[in-house]
Amino acid sequence: MTRTIDLNCDLGESFGAWRMGDDEAVMPYISSANIACGYHAGDPGTMRHAVALARRANVAIGAHVSLPDLAGFGRREMRVSIDEAHAMTLYQVGALAAFARAAGTRLTHVKPHGALYNMAARDAALADAIAQAVHAFDPALRLVGLAGSELPRAGERAGLVVAHEAFADRRYEADGSLVSRREADAVIDDVGGAVAQALALARGEAIAVRGGAWLQVHADTICVHGDRPDAARFAQHLHRALLDAGIAIARPAGRRAA
């Protein structure tokens, strides 16, 4: 049976006169796009353009929801209440859904960004707030979260289809969490090393983690970071390596809780 993996990328992260990434160059090599909704990056024009690019490339469109932190690119933790987390998720999903609807398409998934993503991976109450907001907007949406963490578990409790996510270019701790970006070795900058890790994840093989241990990660989808300086080249290399290894690239079907 042919293995299949989703390749997702965080896109639409420019705003105003500030430019981040090369969405158009990355889009042909991925199957899902997580588009910033104005809280950590993105603005109305950028959101509309990213949706149009994804629709043209037949790439699944998802809302990349964040803490309200433009200055810190959403990577600084903030103390937010459960009600605030629910409301900010609903607000951002609704904003991107408006652009999708105007373009004649629809959202397929929601993925938190940065600090919110990592907080929800640990905090079941916060994860539940995000999952319930997604369900309240559209129970057909897929919730994407760190593989094996509280976020996909919350999605299942809410009755959502979930996608367990792994990262091609991030290093892992032995407990399955990501090495903090405050650490010098948090990101695998070498394209060859990141592609090798992604291939192992797509094949269901264990990957090396910090400290010399090995970790088994179930992955429905693998993230390619759009803010890498070489994001387009990396996405192209990874796309070709997966196909050469006999691994198909397609949107995830996900799994609904029983």
Side-chain angles (χ1 to χ4, degrees), residues 159-179:
L160 296 168
V161 173
V162 302
H164 290 258
E165 181 180 41
F167 290 82
D169 61 352
R170 290 294 304 277
R171 298 193 192 280
Y172 282 80
E173 301 283 10
D175 65 357
S177 63
L178 300 175
V179 172

Side-chain angles (χ1 to χ4, degrees), residues 50-92:
V51 165
L53 288 175
R55 186 177 187 275
R56 190 159 64 238
N58 195 30
V59 167
I61 298 168
H64 202 27
V65 301
S66 172
L67 295 169
D69 181 25
L70 274 174
F73 198 62
R75 288 182 175 156
R76 301 180 294 188
E77 292 198 1
M78 295 180 176
R79 189 174 297 175
V80 294
S81 71
I82 297 306
D83 285 347
E84 287 171 329
H86 186 283
M88 70 175 62
T89 300
L90 193 57
Y91 180 91
Q92 292 174 82

Side-chain angles (χ1 to χ4, degrees), residues 112 117-132 135 142-165 175-177 216 218 220 255-258:
Y117 181 96
N118 291 319
M119 291 162 65
R122 305 187 303 264
D123 186 330
L126 179 62
D128 280 332
I130 294 168
Q132 288 162 14
H135 187 276
R142 180 182 300 109
L143 183 62
V144 180
L146 183 68
S149 76
E150 292 294 342
L151 191 55
R153 284 195 283 270
E156 290 179 344
R157 285 192 294 271
L160 296 168
V161 173
V162 302
H164 290 258
E165 181 180 41
D175 65 357
S177 63
Q216 195 77 41
H218 170 81
D220 300 310
R255 297 188 302 277
R256 189 177 293 281

Side-chain angles (χ1 to χ4, degrees), residues 2 9 70 207:
T2 303
C9 189
L70 274 174
I207 60 170

